[in-house]
Amino acid sequence: MILAILLALSAWLLSFVLPWWSLAIPAVVLGALLGTSGGHSFGFGALGIGAWWLIHTLYIHIANDGILTGRIADLFSLPHPSLVILITVIIGGLTGGLATLTGYLFRTTFLK
C-alpha cells in the first residue's frame, strides 16, 4: 500500500511542472525499489495513479461545473460525461500499473 501512496504523491508533485506522462518516472523507480512481485507492482501502481487521476479529474469536473467533461463527451460521442472520467481513470491506472511493472521487471532482470 505504501507503493500506491508514494506513487500518487510523487505523481501529484510532478504534475505541477511536467506533462502527464511524467508519472512513469517515479512509477519505474518505485516499482524497482518497492515491488515484491509482478502482480503487486502492477496492482498498486494502477491503484496509486488511478486514484490520483480520479481525484484530479473530479476536482476539474467540479471546478468548472462539468463543462469540460460535457464537451469532451460530446466530442467523442459518449452518452454521459461520467464516462470521460471513467476512461481517464482507466488510462491512468493502466499507465501507472505498466510503468510500475516495468520497474519491477527491470530490477528482477538486471539484478540477478
Side-chain angles (χ1 to χ4, degrees), residues 3-92:
L3 176 61
I5 294 169
L6 286 175
L7 189 54
L9 287 175
S10 60
W12 173 65
L13 290 173
L14 284 178
S15 71
F16 289 119
V17 293
L18 295 173
W20 72 270
W21 51 263
S22 65
L23 67 92
I25 298 166
V28 169
V29 172
L30 289 172
L33 295 176
L34 300 176
T36 57
S37 69
H40 173 267
S41 298
F42 182 84
F44 281 113
L47 176 68
I49 296 299
W52 158 239
W53 277 25
L54 176 64
I55 291 168
H56 190 68
T57 306
L58 286 175
Y59 171 76
I60 291 171
H61 178 75
I62 292 168
N64 63 26
D65 294 326
I67 294 171
L68 181 64
T69 51
R71 288 185 179 175
I72 293 174
D74 290 341
L75 179 69
F76 289 110
S77 301
L78 296 174
H80 199 273
S82 63
L83 289 176
V84 173
I85 296 171
L86 179 66
I87 291 168
T88 302
V89 170
I90 290 171
I91 290 171

